[in-house]
Amino acid sequence: EGYPAVVNDPALTAHAQAIHRSLLGDDQTITVPDPVMGGEDFAYLAQAVPANFAMIGLLPPGETARPGLHHPGFDFNDDALPIAIKLLCAYALHGAPTAS
């Protein structure tokens, strides 16, 4: 019941990670090691076509924690916007990986 799990396509995920690393470096690109239990309607898209759900970090340098998205103290870090835009543009320019 509820939303299905988001399952990233392995080839598309590797492609996206390569783009991240080329733009931001290894120290700014991580793989979330454990499943995240949040519900996400993106899961329906990922069931229909190969997909990769990526997250953009919002924690400013020097900070170790901030309130989460649904917390009343949450404050979006606008400094993350240029990074997100740069990544989305790179995704569009690099396209999807070709099938082997």
Side-chain angles (χ1 to χ4, degrees):
E1 201 172 318
Y3 290 102
V6 173
V7 179
N8 285 340
D9 177 79
L12 196 54
T13 299
H15 185 66
Q17 287 177 329
I19 292 170
H20 282 231
R21 284 187 174 87
S22 71
L23 292 175
L24 304 175
D26 287 337
D27 62 328
Q28 296 295 312
T29 304
I30 64 167
T31 299
V32 177
D34 297 314
V36 177
M37 296 301 293
E40 178 56 56
D41 58 2
F42 185 82
Y44 293 109
L45 176 69
Q47 287 180 334
V49 296
N52 176 68
F53 188 88
M55 295 180 276
I56 305 295
L58 297 177
L59 196 61
E63 288 192 31
T64 57
R66 274 195 150 182
L69 178 62
H70 298 288
H71 186 280
F74 175 75
D75 183 22
F76 186 84
N77 178 6
D78 292 343
D79 292 340
L81 288 173
I83 296 167
I85 292 167
K86 186 176 185 178
L87 285 169
L88 291 174
C89 289
Y91 290 158
L93 293 171
H94 288 87
T98 56
S100 41

Short mmCIF file of all heavy atoms in Angstrom, two decimals, residues 23-24 56-58 76-90:
data_model
loop_
_atom_site.label_atom_id
_atom_site.label_comp_id
_atom_site.label_asym_id
_atom_site.label_seq_id
_atom_site.Cartn_x
_atom_site.Cartn_y
_atom_site.Cartn_z
N LEU A 23 31.79 17.38 -12.80
CA LEU A 23 31.45 18.77 -12.49
C LEU A 23 31.82 19.18 -11.07
O LEU A 23 32.22 20.31 -10.83
CB LEU A 23 29.96 19.01 -12.70
CG LEU A 23 29.46 18.96 -14.13
CD1 LEU A 23 27.94 19.10 -14.17
CD2 LEU A 23 30.10 20.05 -14.96
N LEU A 24 31.63 18.27 -10.12
CA LEU A 24 31.75 18.63 -8.71
C LEU A 24 32.91 17.97 -7.98
O LEU A 24 33.26 18.38 -6.89
CB LEU A 24 30.44 18.30 -7.97
CG LEU A 24 29.18 18.93 -8.55
CD1 LEU A 24 27.95 18.42 -7.81
CD2 LEU A 24 29.26 20.44 -8.49
N ILE A 56 20.18 16.59 -4.18
CA ILE A 56 21.14 17.69 -4.11
C ILE A 56 21.27 18.07 -2.64
O ILE A 56 20.27 18.34 -1.97
CB ILE A 56 20.66 18.92 -4.91
CG1 ILE A 56 20.36 18.55 -6.36
CG2 ILE A 56 21.65 20.06 -4.80
CD1 ILE A 56 21.57 18.09 -7.14
N GLY A 57 22.48 18.08 -2.13
CA GLY A 57 22.69 18.44 -0.74
C GLY A 57 22.41 19.92 -0.49
O GLY A 57 22.69 20.77 -1.33
N LEU A 58 21.87 20.22 0.67
CA LEU A 58 21.55 21.60 1.04
C LEU A 58 22.36 22.09 2.23
O LEU A 58 22.19 23.23 2.66
CB LEU A 58 20.05 21.72 1.38
CG LEU A 58 19.08 21.43 0.25
CD1 LEU A 58 17.64 21.53 0.74
CD2 LEU A 58 19.31 22.38 -0.92
N PHE A 76 15.41 26.50 3.04
CA PHE A 76 16.08 26.09 1.81
C PHE A 76 17.36 26.90 1.62
O PHE A 76 17.37 28.11 1.77
CB PHE A 76 15.16 26.30 0.61
CG PHE A 76 15.73 25.77 -0.67
CD1 PHE A 76 15.60 24.44 -1.01
CD2 PHE A 76 16.44 26.61 -1.53
CE1 PHE A 76 16.14 23.94 -2.19
CE2 PHE A 76 16.99 26.13 -2.70
CZ PHE A 76 16.83 24.79 -3.03
N ASN A 77 18.44 26.22 1.29
CA ASN A 77 19.73 26.87 1.05
C ASN A 77 19.80 27.28 -0.42
O ASN A 77 20.06 26.47 -1.30
CB ASN A 77 20.87 25.91 1.40
CG ASN A 77 22.23 26.50 1.13
OD1 ASN A 77 22.35 27.67 0.79
ND2 ASN A 77 23.26 25.69 1.28
N ASP A 78 19.56 28.56 -0.68
CA ASP A 78 19.56 29.06 -2.06
C ASP A 78 20.89 28.87 -2.77
O ASP A 78 20.93 28.87 -4.01
CB ASP A 78 19.17 30.54 -2.10
CG ASP A 78 17.72 30.78 -1.71
OD1 ASP A 78 16.92 29.82 -1.72
OD2 ASP A 78 17.38 31.93 -1.39
N ASP A 79 21.97 28.72 -2.02
CA ASP A 79 23.28 28.51 -2.64
C ASP A 79 23.35 27.19 -3.41
O ASP A 79 24.24 27.00 -4.23
CB ASP A 79 24.39 28.56 -1.60
CG ASP A 79 24.58 29.95 -1.02
OD1 ASP A 79 24.15 30.94 -1.66
OD2 ASP A 79 25.15 30.05 0.09
N ALA A 80 22.41 26.28 -3.15
CA ALA A 80 22.39 24.99 -3.85
C ALA A 80 21.80 25.11 -5.25
O ALA A 80 22.03 24.24 -6.10
CB ALA A 80 21.59 23.97 -3.04
N LEU A 81 21.07 26.18 -5.53
CA LEU A 81 20.41 26.31 -6.83
C LEU A 81 21.37 26.33 -8.02
O LEU A 81 21.14 25.61 -9.00
CB LEU A 81 19.51 27.55 -6.84
CG LEU A 81 18.24 27.42 -6.01
CD1 LEU A 81 17.51 28.75 -5.95
CD2 LEU A 81 17.34 26.33 -6.57
N PRO A 82 22.45 27.10 -8.01
CA PRO A 82 23.36 27.07 -9.17
C PRO A 82 23.96 25.68 -9.41
O PRO A 82 24.16 25.28 -10.56
CB PRO A 82 24.45 28.08 -8.81
CG PRO A 82 23.81 28.99 -7.82
CD PRO A 82 22.85 28.14 -7.05
N ILE A 83 24.22 24.95 -8.35
CA ILE A 83 24.76 23.59 -8.49
C ILE A 83 23.72 22.68 -9.14
O ILE A 83 24.02 21.93 -10.06
CB ILE A 83 25.22 23.05 -7.13
CG1 ILE A 83 26.37 23.90 -6.59
CG2 ILE A 83 25.62 21.57 -7.23
CD1 ILE A 83 26.69 23.66 -5.14
N ALA A 84 22.49 22.76 -8.65
CA ALA A 84 21.42 21.93 -9.21
C ALA A 84 21.18 22.26 -10.68
O ALA A 84 21.02 21.36 -11.51
CB ALA A 84 20.14 22.13 -8.39
N ILE A 85 21.17 23.53 -11.01
CA ILE A 85 20.96 23.95 -12.40
C ILE A 85 22.09 23.45 -13.29
O ILE A 85 21.87 22.93 -14.39
CB ILE A 85 20.81 25.48 -12.49
CG1 ILE A 85 19.50 25.91 -11.83
CG2 ILE A 85 20.88 25.96 -13.94
CD1 ILE A 85 19.39 27.40 -11.58
N LYS A 86 23.32 23.56 -12.80
CA LYS A 86 24.49 23.09 -13.55
C LYS A 86 24.38 21.58 -13.83
O LYS A 86 24.64 21.13 -14.95
CB LYS A 86 25.75 23.39 -12.72
CG LYS A 86 27.05 23.11 -13.40
CD LYS A 86 28.19 23.56 -12.47
CE LYS A 86 29.53 23.43 -13.11
NZ LYS A 86 30.61 23.90 -12.24
N LEU A 87 23.96 20.81 -12.82
CA LEU A 87 23.81 19.37 -13.00
C LEU A 87 22.69 19.04 -13.98
O LEU A 87 22.86 18.18 -14.85
CB LEU A 87 23.57 18.68 -11.65
CG LEU A 87 24.80 18.56 -10.77
CD1 LEU A 87 24.39 18.12 -9.37
CD2 LEU A 87 25.80 17.59 -11.37
N LEU A 88 21.56 19.69 -13.85
CA LEU A 88 20.43 19.42 -14.75
C LEU A 88 20.79 19.77 -16.20
O LEU A 88 20.43 19.04 -17.13
CB LEU A 88 19.18 20.15 -14.29
CG LEU A 88 18.57 19.62 -12.99
CD1 LEU A 88 17.42 20.52 -12.54
CD2 LEU A 88 18.10 18.18 -13.14
N CYS A 89 21.49 20.86 -16.39
CA CYS A 89 21.95 21.22 -17.74
C CYS A 89 22.92 20.17 -18.28
O CYS A 89 22.85 19.78 -19.45
CB CYS A 89 22.59 22.60 -17.74
SG CYS A 89 21.42 23.94 -17.52
N ALA A 90 23.82 19.70 -17.44
CA ALA A 90 24.78 18.68 -17.87
C ALA A 90 24.06 17.38 -18.23
O ALA A 90 24.42 16.72 -19.21
CB ALA A 90 25.82 18.43 -16.78
#
